[in-house]
Amino acid sequence: MRPFCMSRHCTQIHLVISTVCMVYVLHKYLKVNFHAKTIMMDEPQSSEQSHQAINEPRAKYNLMEETYGREWEKTPEKYYNPLNCTIEYANAQKLQQDHPCVVRLIQDTFLRQPSHRNIAYKLNNPALVDPSDGQSKGILRLLGNHTNGFFIECGAFDGEFLSNTLYMERFLNWTGLLIEGDQKSFHQLTTRNRKAYTTSVCLSTKPYPIQVLYDTTHPLISAIAEKNSEKLEPPVNFTANVHQKQCFPIYSILLAIGRTEIDYFSLDVEGAEYKILKTIPWLKVNIKTLTVEWDHTSEGEIAMTRLMEKNKFVKFGHIEMAFSREVVYIQDFLNDLRLYE
């Protein structure tokens, strides 16, 4: 094929065009990567803080391999004495989320097995197909009415009223993990014969086990007493409705049940949601969708969304219903492609 142009003038034009293209590509690359790094920050920062944040290593999650290296799994008993494995020891030593002692304590003391599929449910209103406030329908639409899935519902109450997961379990053969900190509500939950693991601990706001003061004045909205969350001594106004409660990181509980692949995580704990999400070692779990209550968090929904974007999730939208003020997050499966837009 004959060259388009062989003159010196045309060669100069080609050189200019090539230079412009290179500048444009470089600009796009820098812009995209700067944006990707910027959204990874949890909160607004000064320019000096922003520069430091970009160059800081990935956040630590208090894991065994961060303390002992990746060889610890070959001889885990080397790093603790089973005779010392008590709740008091785990709390005082701030043991790692994946510490064998922490996992063992949960399995032996705080975890109830699912009811068998052949055992009938005991529901107050069995005719109500979906008791959720819209969460179940929305998540199932995102997941294409997925069957045989696995859920976590923290803030499960009695296992029926406003349950975000009961429909999935009853009609789509899901199973999962139900967490409820209020002891009276948890007792009701255990009578439902749910086909899921159940536990009455609370989720830790730290990347290690802690004991907190827990307020059950209003069972439907029981929660960690934020102002006294890590004080082991009761406050002056200590009542029967405010008592000490054991909390574990959600990752510890998942290891205890041997499950890190989660289709749906429902988190509604009346204020501690942001802190709980921050404890999760996201590279070690695979959570596809979440609904998270946001209107009681002191950090606010914007900070929560930044945190989730940092961990490769996108905000799908909000659920604003009679009992719900929640934000829906989905795993950003296009993250690797978005960097090259």
Side-chain angles (χ1 to χ4, degrees), residues 193-239:
N193 294 331
R194 293 287 304 262
K195 319 312 180 203
Y197 293 94
T198 56
T199 181
S200 188
V201 302
C202 61
L203 293 187
S204 179
T205 56
K206 305 292 183 180
Y208 44 80
I210 61 174
Q211 193 174 77
V212 301
L213 290 177
Y214 198 78
D215 189 349
T216 60
T217 304
H218 305 288
L220 189 57
I221 54 174
S222 62
I224 294 174
E226 285 286 341
K227 293 182 180 179
N228 301 288
S229 62
E230 289 189 75
K231 294 181 180 178
L232 298 184
E233 293 299 323
V236 176
N237 60 343
F238 185 76
T239 67

Side-chain angles (χ1 to χ4, degrees), residues 154-169:
C154 186
F157 192 50
D158 68 354
E160 179 180 3
F161 181 69
L162 291 177
S163 173
N164 292 342
T165 60
L166 182 57
Y167 173 79
M168 301 168 175
E169 184 182 301

Side-chain angles (χ1 to χ4, degrees), residues 33 64 75 94 244 250 264:
N33 278 273
M64 289 291 287
T75 55
K94 299 181 179 179
Q244 294 176 2
I250 181 61
Y264 170 43

Side-chain angles (χ1 to χ4, degrees), residues 53-71:
I54 290 175
N55 292 281
E56 285 177 355
R58 183 176 295 276
K60 296 291 184 179
Y61 291 105
N62 196 39
L63 300 172
M64 289 291 287
E65 64 188 51
E66 293 174 355
T67 303
Y68 302 110
R70 298 188 67 87
E71 297 297 313

